[in-house]
Amino acid sequence: MSSSAFTIEHQQLRRCDLFRIGGRIDSESAPTFEQELRGVLADDRYKFVLNLNKVDYTSSAALRVLINVARECRRFNRGDVRLAEVNDRVEKVLDLAGLKELFKLYASEAEAVGSF
Amino acid sequence: MNRNAAAPGVHELHFAAEAGALSAVNDFMTGCCRAFGVDTDASFAVGLAVDEATTNIIEHAYNGKPGSIDLRCWVEQSDLYIELRDRGKSFRPALVPPPTTSGPLRARRVGGLGLHFMRLMMDEIEFSRDESGNRLLMIKRGVAL
């Protein structure tokens, strides 16, 4: 089974910005991941939903992006990064890094979007 | 990227120390784990540890400069052994402060997460250095058939 390539799709919604992410987020793809999120931050939008349903692997590189972007979004209480459809493996990685307690996880994309 | 003709039962991969090699490294480790009968949970753990170790070599041992890495994988009894060798600058794990894994987001230190995951995923990790460079040995016990 070969590695699946990183993909990211962005959709600007009324309540928030939705990113559907797939494949591997490792130190090769993490810069692209970060660039996509920061592109929206640069437009002064700070409410993000990340649908991780199709992410099959995350390393610490992905978590660093998550932490840095979430810090930016949460400044002045202007927004947040919320996670939807996180599979068991990714959830375990979040937990091992002590991050599960810091992010809201939603079972569905609709719930995550509706939470804003 | 070269898969060398290794001793029987030893899988080897020689690759350039660059982020673009990571997916091939992952494919290699998936293949090794399958060949050695390692289950999916242990394969995931091993894959994560190798990914983090490789990333650290690229970013810290070689500091982003060109270099190469030798990866070897074998089994002794039912223990999976993974060795990574590089010719970058020496690494002292004791000098890496641990990441913060609790407390508010604004106070979280993100450095050291890679080494943290390596220690969590593997049963033993050992850093050493000789005339040919750095050697990292990682062992996951009781996972191979």
Side-chain angles (χ1 to χ4, degrees):
Chain A
M1 182 174 67
S2 58
S3 306
S4 41
F6 172 74
T7 59
I8 184 165
E9 294 170 17
H10 168 236
Q11 198 177 342
Q12 184 178 345
L13 305 177
R14 188 171 54 85
R15 293 171 182 268
C16 63
D17 282 85
L18 171 65
F19 297 87
R20 294 193 179 105
I21 300 150
R24 288 174 59 85
I25 318 177
D26 56 18
S27 57
E28 182 183 17
S29 54
T32 303
F33 179 41
E34 182 163 18
Q35 191 176 13
E36 289 292 318
L37 300 181
R38 288 199 176 276
V40 177
L41 290 177
D43 289 336
D44 286 327
R45 297 202 299 275
Y46 303 102
K47 296 177 180 176
F48 292 176
V49 168
L50 307 187
N51 184 327
L52 303 181
N53 176 265
K54 291 185 166 41
V55 171
D56 46 43
Y57 176 87
T58 51
S59 69
S60 63
L63 304 186
R64 279 192 286 277
V65 173
L66 208 55
I67 290 168
N68 289 333
V69 171
R71 277 183 183 147
E72 196 63 32
C73 286
R74 290 179 188 178
R75 285 177 73 195
F76 317 117
N77 274 334
R78 59 193 175 185
D80 196 10
V81 175
R82 295 177 186 171
L83 308 180
E85 303 183 26
V86 178
N87 65 47
D88 290 347
R89 293 224 189 279
V90 173
E91 189 171 344
K92 181 175 178 181
V93 171
L94 284 170
D95 196 26
L96 289 173
L99 292 179
K100 210 173 135 181
E101 64 193 44
L102 294 181
F103 287 90
K104 292 191 173 75
L105 271 60
Y106 294 87
S108 74
E109 182 180 281
E111 286 175 82
V113 169
S115 71
F116 277 111
Chain B
M1 190 162 306
N2 298 315
R3 291 173 193 257
N4 297 329
V10 180
H11 296 241
E12 291 188 12
L13 186 71
H14 177 80
F15 57 98
E18 55 192 32
L22 286 173
S23 60
V25 170
N26 175 68
D27 290 344
F28 171 80
M29 288 309 307
T30 300
C32 289
C33 287
R34 187 179 305 120
F36 292 135
V38 179
D39 70 32
T40 51
D41 284 346
S43 293
F44 174 80
V46 165
L48 180 57
V50 171
D51 182 295
E52 298 289 0
T54 303
T55 296
N56 281 344
I57 293 170
I58 293 166
E59 293 180 355
H60 303 300
Y62 286 120
N63 208 21
K65 294 189 178 64
S68 64
I69 301 172
D70 291 298
L71 170 58
R72 298 171 75 231
C73 189
W74 70 95
V75 164
E76 294 180 17
Q77 312 276 3
S78 62
D79 300 334
L80 182 68
Y81 284 69
I82 299 162
E83 178 192 73
L84 286 122
R85 283 191 171 270
D86 69 86
R87 293 182 180 276
K89 58 182 189 184
S90 66
F91 172 66
R92 292 167 66 187
L95 297 181
V96 177
T100 42
T101 54
S102 61
L105 185 67
R106 65 180 179 279
R108 293 291 180 103
R109 187 172 52 241
V110 297
L113 264 178
L115 187 55
H116 175 70
F117 281 153
M118 287 159 61
R119 288 181 170 136
L120 288 176
M121 295 296 113
M122 304 301 288
D123 293 308
E124 292 174 40
I125 65 172
E126 178 189 298
F127 294 91
S128 59
R129 187 169 175 88
D130 58 27
E131 62 281 350
S132 60
N134 295 315
R135 179 183 189 246
L136 167 62
L137 181 65
M138 300 193 285
I139 305 171
K140 192 136 182 91
R141 301 216 176 266
V143 294
L145 293 177

